[in-house]
Amino acid sequence: MLPWKRWLRPLAALALTAAAVLTPPPPPPPPPPHRPRRAAAGTTTAASRPPRTPRPVVLVHGTFANSVDNWLVLAPYLVNRGYCVFSLDYGQLPGVPLIHGLGRSTSRPSSCGLRRQGARRHGAPEADLVGHSQGGMMPRHYLKFLGGADKVNALVGIAPDNHGTTLLGLTKLLPHFPGAEKFLNDKTPALADQIAGSPFLTRLNEGGDTVPGVQYTVIATRYDQVVTPYRSQYLDGPNVRNVLVQDLCPVNISEHVAIGTIDRIAFHEVANALDPANATPTNCGSVIN
């Protein structure tokens, strides 16, 4: 092979590489015409989904809970159905982080929290309240004594201790333990408030369970082991609907915690209570809705 031929191939390769690098690429093809993406059957996109109701929903947690852990399932359940959802913390004791709902149920922070959230923050004239356990009962104090009835359309209580609890009869043993009642009142006043017959509940229920202008729904389970007897959760009044989840789905075995945190039967009834004009039957199949 002649010496000059030895350099021919690498020079040719270098020239082709330079041409490939220096030559500008062809312009990309124009994008196809925009076509709105159709949502899958049974779903809606966030941009196209109008709010189901103009009222915001304020979630009120129970004892020993907070504004996050009580609502890890129900909050997205409602958001996915077009609701504007808020939650609040209340009843925090000094030096006790994360665990709320232990301070006095009538405390100013508890009631002011309800006022700050929902209607005022959202700019709507009224809000709907959904509470679990103490959170389903405590707002009644706001409605009855602090002018909340003018700002609330509906209160939905999930396993609320509306008439207190006997804790399966254990609270009747308190008088036999000197100092126990004083300890509860001093250290965890919200627990003392929730005992059947407490001064707080006696005043709350005097003159009737409800106030005019507010729609009340109580969702209970017969297997509640915290608010006992479970029928003490029910309210009396012309604007009340009391629901037992086992009447809707006989195989439902939710107890006090589960009914407020993961029970889709209860959640379907919450949605029905928030939008009764578009309510659909609740049954064992509602868990897949």
Side-chain angles (χ1 to χ4, degrees):
M1 178 182 293
L2 295 176
W4 61 271
K5 290 185 176 180
R6 185 178 304 169
W7 299 97
L8 185 59
R9 289 183 179 177
L11 287 174
L14 180 61
L16 291 173
T17 302
V21 171
L22 297 176
T23 302
H34 174 70
R35 295 179 180 176
R37 185 178 178 183
R38 184 178 181 182
T43 65
T44 55
T45 62
S48 64
R49 181 179 60 236
R52 173 171 288 192
T53 171
R55 294 182 303 274
V57 177
V58 181
L59 303 178
V60 191
H61 65 76
T63 311
F64 297 114
N66 60 52
S67 60
V68 176
D69 64 13
N70 211 142
W71 310 119
L72 292 174
V73 180
L74 180 57
Y77 180 93
L78 294 176
V79 169
N80 288 339
R81 283 155 177 77
Y83 291 94
C84 185
V85 178
F86 300 91
S87 63
L88 74 153
D89 286 311
Y90 70 93
Q92 184 177 12
L93 294 177
V96 182
L98 301 179
I99 299 175
H100 298 173
L102 296 173
R104 185 69 65 189
S105 299
T106 57
S107 67
R108 182 174 178 81
S110 299
S111 302
C112 286
L114 286 174
R115 280 198 286 262
R116 283 195 301 268
Q117 295 290 344
R120 285 192 175 182
R121 181 171 174 179
H122 188 266
E126 290 183 316
D128 291 328
L129 306 181
V130 178
H132 177 215
S133 192
Q134 181 188 179
M137 172 274 294
M138 182 272 288
R140 293 179 51 222
H141 181 271
Y142 168 62
L143 299 179
K144 193 168 187 177
F145 299 114
L146 300 175
D150 293 334
K151 304 173 182 66
V152 173
N153 169 72
L155 170 61
V156 184
I158 307 173
D161 47 352
N162 282 317
H163 297 92
T165 178
T166 66
L167 277 178
L168 298 173
L170 293 178
T171 59
K172 296 179 180 180
L173 299 178
L174 286 175
H176 300 285
F177 293 88
E181 291 179 279
K182 184 178 186 304
F183 178 84
L184 286 176
N185 270 294
D186 293 345
K187 301 300 182 182
T188 56
L191 296 183
D193 283 347
Q194 295 175 77
I195 295 174
S198 72
F200 168 74
L201 287 170
T202 298
R203 179 169 181 260
L204 179 64
N205 293 314
E206 280 179 345
D209 292 347
T210 65
V211 296
V214 179
Q215 299 301 313
Y216 295 80
T217 300
V218 173
I219 304 171
T221 171
R222 69 170 73 252
Y223 302 118
D224 199 311
Q225 80 286 24
V226 175
V227 181
T228 60
Y230 75 87
R231 291 186 179 276
S232 68
Q233 302 172 24
Y234 292 164
L235 294 171
D236 291 322
N239 45 347
V240 172
R241 180 169 181 257
N242 295 310
V243 180
L244 185 68
V245 292
Q246 283 77 29
D247 288 342
L248 306 173
C249 179
V251 298
N252 187 307
I253 58 172
S254 286
E255 38 66 65
H256 184 78
V257 174
I259 193 176
T261 57
I262 61 172
D263 189 340
R264 297 291 287 261
I265 301 297
F267 294 171
H268 191 269
E269 274 302 292
V270 170
N272 281 345
L274 296 176
D275 188 17
N278 294 293
T280 58
T282 303
N283 50 50
C284 295
S286 300
V287 297
I288 63 175
N289 294 335

